[in-house]
Short mmCIF file of all heavy atoms in Angstrom, two decimals:
data_model
loop_
_atom_site.label_atom_id
_atom_site.label_comp_id
_atom_site.label_asym_id
_atom_site.label_seq_id
_atom_site.Cartn_x
_atom_site.Cartn_y
_atom_site.Cartn_z
N THR J 582 192.47 25.39 22.65
CA THR J 582 193.05 26.74 22.72
C THR J 582 194.11 26.77 23.86
O THR J 582 193.81 26.34 24.93
CB THR J 582 192.04 27.85 22.98
OG1 THR J 582 191.01 27.75 21.93
CG2 THR J 582 192.59 29.24 22.95
N GLU J 583 195.30 27.25 23.54
CA GLU J 583 196.30 27.39 24.58
C GLU J 583 196.18 28.71 25.27
O GLU J 583 196.17 29.69 24.61
CB GLU J 583 197.67 27.21 23.97
CG GLU J 583 198.10 25.88 23.51
CD GLU J 583 199.55 25.75 23.08
OE1 GLU J 583 200.25 26.81 23.13
OE2 GLU J 583 199.92 24.56 22.82
N VAL J 584 196.10 28.71 26.64
CA VAL J 584 195.91 29.85 27.35
C VAL J 584 197.17 29.83 28.37
O VAL J 584 197.38 28.82 29.05
CB VAL J 584 194.63 29.93 28.16
CG1 VAL J 584 194.54 31.11 29.01
CG2 VAL J 584 193.51 29.80 27.21
N ARG J 585 197.91 30.97 28.47
CA ARG J 585 199.11 31.04 29.27
C ARG J 585 198.88 31.81 30.57
O ARG J 585 197.92 32.63 30.62
CB ARG J 585 200.23 31.58 28.53
CG ARG J 585 200.56 30.83 27.24
CD ARG J 585 201.95 31.01 26.71
NE ARG J 585 202.16 30.27 25.54
CZ ARG J 585 202.56 29.01 25.49
NH1 ARG J 585 202.71 28.34 26.64
NH2 ARG J 585 202.84 28.36 24.41
N LEU J 586 199.73 31.54 31.58
CA LEU J 586 199.74 32.35 32.76
C LEU J 586 199.72 33.82 32.41
O LEU J 586 200.52 34.23 31.54
CB LEU J 586 200.84 31.97 33.72
CG LEU J 586 200.61 30.78 34.63
CD1 LEU J 586 201.96 30.50 35.38
CD2 LEU J 586 199.40 30.97 35.55
N ASN J 587 199.03 34.65 33.11
CA ASN J 587 198.99 36.09 32.94
C ASN J 587 198.33 36.62 31.68
O ASN J 587 198.27 37.78 31.40
CB ASN J 587 200.41 36.72 33.13
CG ASN J 587 200.30 38.09 33.78
OD1 ASN J 587 199.38 38.35 34.60
ND2 ASN J 587 201.13 38.95 33.47
N GLN J 588 197.86 35.64 30.84
CA GLN J 588 197.11 36.09 29.65
C GLN J 588 195.73 36.59 30.02
O GLN J 588 195.08 35.96 30.89
CB GLN J 588 197.02 34.91 28.68
CG GLN J 588 196.24 35.21 27.39
CD GLN J 588 196.22 34.10 26.40
OE1 GLN J 588 196.93 33.07 26.55
NE2 GLN J 588 195.28 34.16 25.45
N LYS J 589 195.28 37.60 29.44
CA LYS J 589 193.92 38.20 29.73
C LYS J 589 192.89 37.41 29.10
O LYS J 589 192.95 37.04 27.96
CB LYS J 589 193.85 39.63 29.39
CG LYS J 589 192.48 40.32 29.84
CD LYS J 589 192.52 41.80 29.75
CE LYS J 589 193.26 42.41 30.82
NZ LYS J 589 192.71 42.32 32.16
N ILE J 590 191.89 36.96 29.87
CA ILE J 590 190.73 36.19 29.40
C ILE J 590 189.44 37.08 29.75
O ILE J 590 189.33 37.65 30.81
CB ILE J 590 190.72 34.87 30.26
CG1 ILE J 590 191.89 34.03 29.88
CG2 ILE J 590 189.45 34.15 29.85
CD1 ILE J 590 192.00 33.63 28.46
N TRP J 591 188.53 37.03 28.87
CA TRP J 591 187.22 37.64 29.07
C TRP J 591 186.12 36.61 29.18
O TRP J 591 186.13 35.61 28.43
CB TRP J 591 186.88 38.61 27.80
CG TRP J 591 187.64 39.81 27.78
CD1 TRP J 591 187.29 40.98 28.20
CD2 TRP J 591 189.02 40.01 27.27
NE1 TRP J 591 188.22 41.94 28.04
CE2 TRP J 591 189.37 41.34 27.46
CE3 TRP J 591 189.87 39.13 26.78
CZ2 TRP J 591 190.57 41.85 27.05
CZ3 TRP J 591 191.15 39.64 26.34
CH2 TRP J 591 191.47 41.05 26.51
N VAL J 592 185.33 36.75 30.23
CA VAL J 592 184.29 35.72 30.45
C VAL J 592 182.97 36.47 30.30
O VAL J 592 182.66 37.48 31.04
CB VAL J 592 184.38 35.07 31.81
CG1 VAL J 592 183.22 34.14 32.09
CG2 VAL J 592 185.74 34.37 31.98
N GLU J 593 182.09 35.97 29.42
CA GLU J 593 180.73 36.55 29.14
C GLU J 593 179.67 35.72 29.84
O GLU J 593 179.69 34.47 29.78
CB GLU J 593 180.50 36.69 27.72
CG GLU J 593 179.19 37.42 27.42
CD GLU J 593 179.03 37.68 25.88
OE1 GLU J 593 179.16 36.75 25.15
OE2 GLU J 593 178.87 38.82 25.53
N LEU J 594 178.78 36.39 30.61
CA LEU J 594 177.63 35.74 31.22
C LEU J 594 176.42 36.26 30.43
O LEU J 594 176.10 37.44 30.51
CB LEU J 594 177.59 36.07 32.71
CG LEU J 594 178.77 35.58 33.49
CD1 LEU J 594 178.85 36.35 34.79
CD2 LEU J 594 178.75 34.06 33.64
N ASP J 595 175.82 35.43 29.69
CA ASP J 595 174.74 35.84 28.76
C ASP J 595 173.45 34.98 28.97
O ASP J 595 173.54 33.84 29.27
CB ASP J 595 175.14 35.58 27.34
CG ASP J 595 174.19 36.28 26.28
OD1 ASP J 595 173.53 37.23 26.72
OD2 ASP J 595 174.23 35.86 25.12
N THR J 596 172.33 35.67 28.99
CA THR J 596 171.07 34.95 29.22
C THR J 596 170.18 34.95 27.83
O THR J 596 170.40 35.86 27.03
CB THR J 596 170.19 35.61 30.29
OG1 THR J 596 169.80 36.89 29.92
CG2 THR J 596 170.94 35.62 31.54
N ASP J 597 169.34 33.98 27.75
CA ASP J 597 168.46 33.91 26.64
C ASP J 597 167.10 33.54 27.15
O ASP J 597 167.00 32.61 28.01
CB ASP J 597 168.92 32.85 25.67
CG ASP J 597 168.09 32.76 24.36
OD1 ASP J 597 167.75 33.90 23.86
OD2 ASP J 597 167.87 31.67 23.91
N GLY J 598 166.13 34.28 26.78
CA GLY J 598 164.72 34.12 27.25
C GLY J 598 164.25 35.18 28.19
O GLY J 598 163.10 35.00 28.79
N LEU J 599 165.08 36.19 28.52
CA LEU J 599 164.59 37.24 29.42
C LEU J 599 164.43 38.51 28.64
O LEU J 599 165.09 38.83 27.65
CB LEU J 599 165.66 37.44 30.50
CG LEU J 599 165.88 36.47 31.51
CD1 LEU J 599 167.10 36.82 32.41
CD2 LEU J 599 164.63 36.16 32.32
N ASP J 600 163.39 39.27 29.07
CA ASP J 600 163.05 40.57 28.34
C ASP J 600 163.97 41.69 28.93
O ASP J 600 163.90 42.02 30.13
CB ASP J 600 161.59 40.90 28.55
CG ASP J 600 161.19 42.17 27.74
OD1 ASP J 600 162.06 42.98 27.26
OD2 ASP J 600 159.97 42.42 27.61
N GLU J 601 164.84 42.21 28.15
CA GLU J 601 165.84 43.25 28.58
C GLU J 601 165.20 44.51 28.96
O GLU J 601 165.73 45.28 29.77
CB GLU J 601 166.83 43.51 27.44
CG GLU J 601 168.04 44.27 27.90
CD GLU J 601 169.11 44.31 26.85
OE1 GLU J 601 169.79 43.25 26.69
OE2 GLU J 601 169.44 45.40 26.38
N LYS J 602 163.95 44.78 28.53
CA LYS J 602 163.15 45.96 28.98
C LYS J 602 162.71 45.80 30.48
O LYS J 602 162.57 46.76 31.13
CB LYS J 602 162.01 46.24 28.16
CG LYS J 602 162.34 46.57 26.61
CD LYS J 602 161.16 46.80 25.83
CE LYS J 602 161.61 46.87 24.33
NZ LYS J 602 160.80 46.06 23.49
N LEU J 603 162.59 44.53 30.87
CA LEU J 603 161.97 44.36 32.18
C LEU J 603 163.02 43.91 33.21
O LEU J 603 162.85 44.17 34.46
CB LEU J 603 160.91 43.24 32.11
CG LEU J 603 159.69 43.53 31.24
CD1 LEU J 603 158.75 42.30 31.19
CD2 LEU J 603 158.95 44.78 31.76
N VAL J 604 163.99 43.19 32.73
CA VAL J 604 165.00 42.51 33.66
C VAL J 604 166.43 42.79 33.35
O VAL J 604 166.74 42.83 32.17
CB VAL J 604 164.73 40.93 33.71
CG1 VAL J 604 165.64 40.31 34.63
CG2 VAL J 604 163.29 40.66 34.06
N ALA J 605 167.24 42.91 34.34
CA ALA J 605 168.73 42.95 34.12
C ALA J 605 169.33 41.83 34.99
O ALA J 605 168.83 41.39 35.92
CB ALA J 605 169.21 44.32 34.56
N VAL J 606 170.53 41.42 34.52
CA VAL J 606 171.25 40.42 35.25
C VAL J 606 172.39 41.10 35.98
O VAL J 606 173.17 41.83 35.40
CB VAL J 606 171.77 39.34 34.28
CG1 VAL J 606 172.64 38.29 34.99
CG2 VAL J 606 170.61 38.62 33.57
N VAL J 607 172.52 40.84 37.28
CA VAL J 607 173.54 41.31 38.11
C VAL J 607 174.46 40.16 38.49
O VAL J 607 174.01 39.24 39.09
CB VAL J 607 173.02 42.04 39.33
CG1 VAL J 607 174.17 42.50 40.26
CG2 VAL J 607 172.11 43.20 38.98
N THR J 608 175.78 40.22 38.20
CA THR J 608 176.73 39.30 38.70
C THR J 608 177.15 39.74 40.05
O THR J 608 177.77 40.73 40.26
CB THR J 608 177.94 39.24 37.71
OG1 THR J 608 177.59 38.88 36.44
CG2 THR J 608 178.96 38.22 38.21
N ASP J 609 176.75 38.93 41.02
CA ASP J 609 176.99 39.23 42.50
C ASP J 609 178.33 38.80 42.87
O ASP J 609 179.07 39.58 43.46
CB ASP J 609 176.01 38.49 43.36
CG ASP J 609 176.32 38.74 44.79
OD1 ASP J 609 176.03 39.74 45.29
OD2 ASP J 609 176.78 37.63 45.44
N SER J 610 178.77 37.71 42.40
CA SER J 610 180.08 37.17 42.70
C SER J 610 180.50 36.06 41.72
O SER J 610 179.80 35.39 41.15
CB SER J 610 180.16 36.55 44.06
OG SER J 610 179.20 35.65 44.34
N CYS J 611 181.89 36.03 41.56
CA CYS J 611 182.45 34.96 40.76
C CYS J 611 183.78 34.59 41.45
O CYS J 611 184.53 35.42 41.91
CB CYS J 611 182.82 35.38 39.33
SG CYS J 611 181.37 35.56 38.19
N TRP J 612 184.01 33.27 41.52
CA TRP J 612 185.17 32.79 42.22
C TRP J 612 185.65 31.56 41.59
O TRP J 612 185.03 30.81 40.89
CB TRP J 612 184.87 32.58 43.67
CG TRP J 612 183.88 31.46 44.00
CD1 TRP J 612 184.12 30.20 44.35
CD2 TRP J 612 182.45 31.58 43.91
NE1 TRP J 612 182.94 29.51 44.55
CE2 TRP J 612 181.90 30.37 44.29
CE3 TRP J 612 181.59 32.70 43.64
CZ2 TRP J 612 180.53 30.08 44.34
CZ3 TRP J 612 180.18 32.41 43.67
CH2 TRP J 612 179.73 31.14 44.06
N ALA J 613 186.94 31.30 41.79
CA ALA J 613 187.63 30.04 41.35
C ALA J 613 187.94 29.12 42.52
O ALA J 613 188.14 29.61 43.62
CB ALA J 613 188.91 30.41 40.60
N THR J 614 187.76 27.89 42.23
CA THR J 614 188.10 26.84 43.25
C THR J 614 189.05 25.87 42.56
O THR J 614 189.08 25.79 41.38
CB THR J 614 186.91 26.12 43.79
OG1 THR J 614 186.20 25.48 42.72
CG2 THR J 614 185.95 27.11 44.45
N ASP J 615 189.75 25.10 43.44
CA ASP J 615 190.67 24.10 42.88
C ASP J 615 189.95 22.67 42.86
O ASP J 615 190.53 21.68 42.47
CB ASP J 615 191.95 23.96 43.65
CG ASP J 615 191.82 23.67 45.08
OD1 ASP J 615 190.67 23.74 45.59
OD2 ASP J 615 192.80 23.66 45.75
N HIS J 616 188.69 22.71 43.10
CA HIS J 616 187.83 21.53 43.07
C HIS J 616 186.55 21.85 42.28
O HIS J 616 186.11 23.01 42.25
CB HIS J 616 187.39 20.92 44.43
CG HIS J 616 188.63 20.32 45.09
ND1 HIS J 616 189.54 21.06 45.86
CD2 HIS J 616 189.00 18.97 45.25
CE1 HIS J 616 190.48 20.21 46.32
NE2 HIS J 616 190.07 18.99 46.04
N ALA J 617 185.88 20.78 41.74
CA ALA J 617 184.70 21.15 41.02
C ALA J 617 183.52 21.69 41.78
O ALA J 617 182.64 22.46 41.31
CB ALA J 617 184.16 19.82 40.28
N SER J 618 183.50 21.45 43.07
CA SER J 618 182.51 22.00 43.97
C SER J 618 182.69 23.47 44.15
O SER J 618 183.76 23.95 44.48
CB SER J 618 182.53 21.26 45.34
OG SER J 618 181.80 21.95 46.30
N PRO J 619 181.65 24.29 44.12
CA PRO J 619 181.81 25.69 44.42
C PRO J 619 182.16 26.11 45.83
O PRO J 619 182.62 27.10 46.15
CB PRO J 619 180.44 26.27 44.00
CG PRO J 619 179.45 25.09 43.98
CD PRO J 619 180.28 23.89 43.78
N THR J 620 182.07 25.10 46.77
CA THR J 620 182.32 25.32 48.12
C THR J 620 183.59 24.54 48.59
O THR J 620 184.02 24.72 49.66
CB THR J 620 181.18 24.97 49.11
OG1 THR J 620 180.80 23.59 48.80
CG2 THR J 620 179.97 25.84 48.78
N GLY J 621 184.11 23.59 47.76
CA GLY J 621 185.22 22.74 48.17
C GLY J 621 186.56 23.32 47.85
O GLY J 621 186.76 24.09 46.90
N GLY J 622 187.55 23.01 48.64
CA GLY J 622 188.95 23.38 48.37
C GLY J 622 189.14 24.87 48.54
O GLY J 622 188.45 25.50 49.26
N ARG J 623 190.26 25.25 47.96
CA ARG J 623 190.62 26.65 48.03
C ARG J 623 189.68 27.53 47.16
O ARG J 623 189.22 27.09 46.10
CB ARG J 623 192.08 26.91 47.59
CG ARG J 623 192.99 26.26 48.59
CD ARG J 623 194.45 26.63 48.30
NE ARG J 623 194.90 25.76 47.19
CZ ARG J 623 196.04 25.91 46.58
NH1 ARG J 623 196.94 26.81 47.06
NH2 ARG J 623 196.42 25.08 45.62
N LYS J 624 189.52 28.77 47.57
CA LYS J 624 188.54 29.71 46.90
C LYS J 624 189.26 31.04 46.61
O LYS J 624 189.87 31.51 47.51
CB LYS J 624 187.30 29.91 47.73
CG LYS J 624 186.19 30.78 47.02
CD LYS J 624 185.04 31.01 47.99
CE LYS J 624 184.12 29.77 48.12
NZ LYS J 624 182.89 30.13 48.82
N TYR J 625 189.17 31.56 45.39
CA TYR J 625 189.75 32.85 45.04
C TYR J 625 188.69 33.65 44.29
O TYR J 625 188.19 33.31 43.34
CB TYR J 625 191.01 32.74 44.12
CG TYR J 625 191.59 33.99 43.80
CD1 TYR J 625 192.31 34.66 44.64
CD2 TYR J 625 191.38 34.63 42.49
CE1 TYR J 625 192.95 35.94 44.38
CE2 TYR J 625 191.91 35.76 42.15
CZ TYR J 625 192.75 36.45 43.05
OH TYR J 625 193.26 37.59 42.76
N TYR J 626 188.25 34.78 44.94
CA TYR J 626 187.26 35.68 44.38
C TYR J 626 187.82 36.56 43.36
O TYR J 626 188.85 37.28 43.49
CB TYR J 626 186.63 36.52 45.40
CG TYR J 626 185.55 35.85 46.23
CD1 TYR J 626 185.82 35.14 47.41
CD2 TYR J 626 184.24 35.71 45.75
CE1 TYR J 626 184.81 34.45 48.06
CE2 TYR J 626 183.26 35.03 46.41
CZ TYR J 626 183.52 34.39 47.58
OH TYR J 626 182.54 33.72 48.25
#
C-alpha cells in the first residue's frame, strides 16, 4: 500500500481474550522513533 506524506492514517489497538465487561484498555502513550528500539534515536509523541 502506498502511503503519502500528510495522508491520514488510522491505527487500531485491539485485544483478544479480555472480558469487555470487566476490563478496558487505556492507551497511555504512542510515539514514533527513527530506530526499531522504543528508546533509541529521535522520538515523536
Side-chain angles (χ1 to χ4, degrees):
T582 304
E583 289 189 354
V584 179
R585 301 199 179 279
L586 275 177
N587 212 31
Q588 180 178 345
K589 187 165 281 297
I590 298 295
W591 286 261
V592 176
E593 185 173 52
L594 301 164
D595 190 22
T596 62
D597 187 37
L599 293 174
D600 187 344
E601 193 167 291
K602 294 178 190 135
L603 300 175
V604 178
V606 175
V607 177
T608 300
D609 176 71
S610 54
C611 287
W612 64 97
T614 60
D615 57 355
H616 288 84
S618 166
T620 57
R623 291 187 283 177
K624 185 185 282 191
Y625 180 76
Y626 277 95

